[in-house]
Amino acid sequence: MKASHLKIEDLHVAIDGKEILKGVNLEIKGGEIHAVMGPNGTGKSTLASALMGHPTYEVTSGSVTLDGEDVLEMEVNERAQAGMFLAMQYPSEISGVTNSDFLRSAINSRREEGDEISLMKFIRQLDAQMGLLEMPGEMAHRYLNEGFSGGEKKRNEILQMTMLKPAIAILDEIDSGLDIDALKVVAKGVNEMRSPEFGCLIITHYQRLLNYIEPDFIHIMMGGKIVMSGGKELAHRLEAEGYDWVKKELGIEEVEIETKA
Ligand SMILES: Nc1ncnc2c1ncn2[C@@H]1O[C@H](COP(=O)(O)OP(=O)(O)OP(=O)(O)O)[C@@H](O)[C@H]1O
Ligand SMILES: [Mg+2]
């Protein structure tokens, strides 16, 4: 069975020697959907990038394991092979590589040599998933994200997720820039993935997405730490009241929020 138990313990991450994450603890098990919310610049995307092994983000201490395997020891491609997936807040455009070629090689890179997916099977799956996500077929043949609208890029990230079937998906602001219909489509893609072999971390600013994807847990990140965890009622309270009450509740006058000096 595929791995799907991600455990993050006391994770500290620095960028250019400056500490951004200051001890993050989070456990995501198969079947669970977690949402992380928090003010701008508190380290949510930093957490996502560090988990995927982006070289800019230096893990200074702590541990991350996927079904007991040390993720921090793995190269970026090994993390993907182990079943980790990141939908980026700002997906990159790759000219000269079609969406379809990209997806096929991504799928094959997770399979043994000699066990590559057949072209027929790939096309069948791609057609089915693009249908589910209500994407026009021609998008398969366009260069990856090139000239895609903001919402099309987000939908395309979800297409990658549904095709790659990761064990753990981290979705960084997958809802930003989506129109209402696209929001529902993206949610449908995530909900289709729900299974005991799939765990999901959704980073979002708005409760709205969580109307369509029901999270099991919500975590609030402030100043590079998860300062509060609870159920979906937390998202409703944040939407209504912002973040000030969190500080009051925790008895913190000022949470140090890192901004570029
Ligand atoms: N590559 C980088 N180089 C320099 N500073 C960075 C880099 N990535 C992140 N930072 C800094 O780290 C801090 C946390 O950024 P991060 O992108 O993780 O925030 P975030 O919580 O995702 O915010 P948002 O809600 O705006 O997306 C910010 O102060 C940011 O400027
Ligand atoms: Mg971010």
Side-chain angles (χ1 to χ4, degrees):
M1 210 174 74
K2 277 196 295 184
S4 52
H5 183 174
L6 186 74
K7 195 169 183 183
I8 303 163
E9 283 177 298
D10 197 23
L11 188 69
H12 290 250
V13 171
I15 301 170
D16 291 337
K18 184 177 169 195
E19 188 167 63
I20 306 289
L21 295 188
K22 301 173 179 174
V24 173
N25 293 290
L26 186 60
E27 201 172 348
I28 302 171
K29 296 182 186 152
E32 293 177 353
I33 294 187
H34 293 245
V36 169
M37 304 180 80
N40 293 132
T42 45
K44 302 178 300 298
S45 297
T46 298
L47 174 64
S49 297
L51 290 175
M52 291 310 291
H54 190 300
T56 304
Y57 302 82
E58 188 202 347
V59 175
T60 49
S61 66
S63 73
V64 180
T65 58
L66 181 60
D67 259 19
E69 299 283 327
D70 187 349
V71 170
L72 300 177
E73 283 292 307
M74 299 179 196
E75 300 294 333
V76 176
N77 63 322
E78 291 172 333
R79 296 181 198 209
Q81 280 159 12
M84 292 185 53
F85 173 86
L86 169 64
M88 285 188 288
Q89 184 171 359
Y90 305 107
S92 350
E93 303 192 358
I94 304 181
S95 196
V97 178
T98 68
N99 214 1
S100 156
D101 285 345
F102 172 80
L103 275 170
R104 200 161 145 228
S105 51
I107 290 172
N108 282 333
S109 74
R110 291 185 49 192
R111 298 167 71 118
E112 298 293 323
E113 229 180 288
D115 182 38
E116 286 85 4
I117 188 168
S118 78
L119 187 57
M120 284 302 290
K121 196 170 170 196
F122 171 74
I123 290 171
R124 258 203 320 273
Q125 282 183 14
L126 185 60
D127 279 351
Q129 293 306 329
M130 289 184 80
L132 177 85
L133 297 172
E134 298 169 27
M135 294 172 74
E138 55 101 13
M139 293 200 84
H141 310 295
R142 284 175 58 182
Y143 291 150
L144 184 62
N145 287 321
E146 197 180 61
F148 285 22
S149 77
E152 286 169 347
K153 283 183 182 165
K154 297 290 175 176
R155 210 180 280 226
N156 205 46
E157 295 288 293
I158 293 297
L159 174 67
Q160 289 170 21
M161 179 187 76
T162 61
M163 288 294 287
L164 287 168
K165 302 192 176 22
I168 296 286
I170 303 158
L171 310 178
D172 195 355
E173 294 199 25
I174 197 69
D175 49 342
S176 71
L178 291 184
D179 67 47
I180 303 288
D181 294 330
L183 191 71
K184 289 180 187 167
V185 167
V186 159
K188 186 162 74 174
V190 176
N191 289 329
E192 285 273 320
M193 292 287 300
R194 273 234 190 217
S195 91
E197 277 134 59
F198 175 72
C200 190
L201 177 65
I202 296 174
I203 297 168
T204 182
H205 283 294
Y206 305 106
Q207 193 274 327
R208 199 178 59 164
L209 176 70
L210 307 176
N211 284 332
Y212 302 108
I213 304 172
E214 199 153 318
D216 302 291
F217 303 95
I218 291 187
H219 310 278
I220 301 177
M221 187 184 262
M222 279 179 146
K225 277 184 183 175
I226 287 170
V227 296
M228 193 183 280
S229 297
K232 58 184 179 194
E233 71 285 349
L234 273 187
H236 288 282
R237 188 149 184 209
L238 287 177
E239 187 99 348
E241 298 180 47
Y243 287 98
D244 277 352
W245 68 270
V246 181
K247 295 181 205 168
K248 285 200 193 97
E249 199 127 311
L250 294 170
I252 314 170
E253 274 304 306
E254 225 16 84
V255 177
E256 193 199 339
I257 294 170
E258 302 289 340
T259 48
K260 272 186 192 148

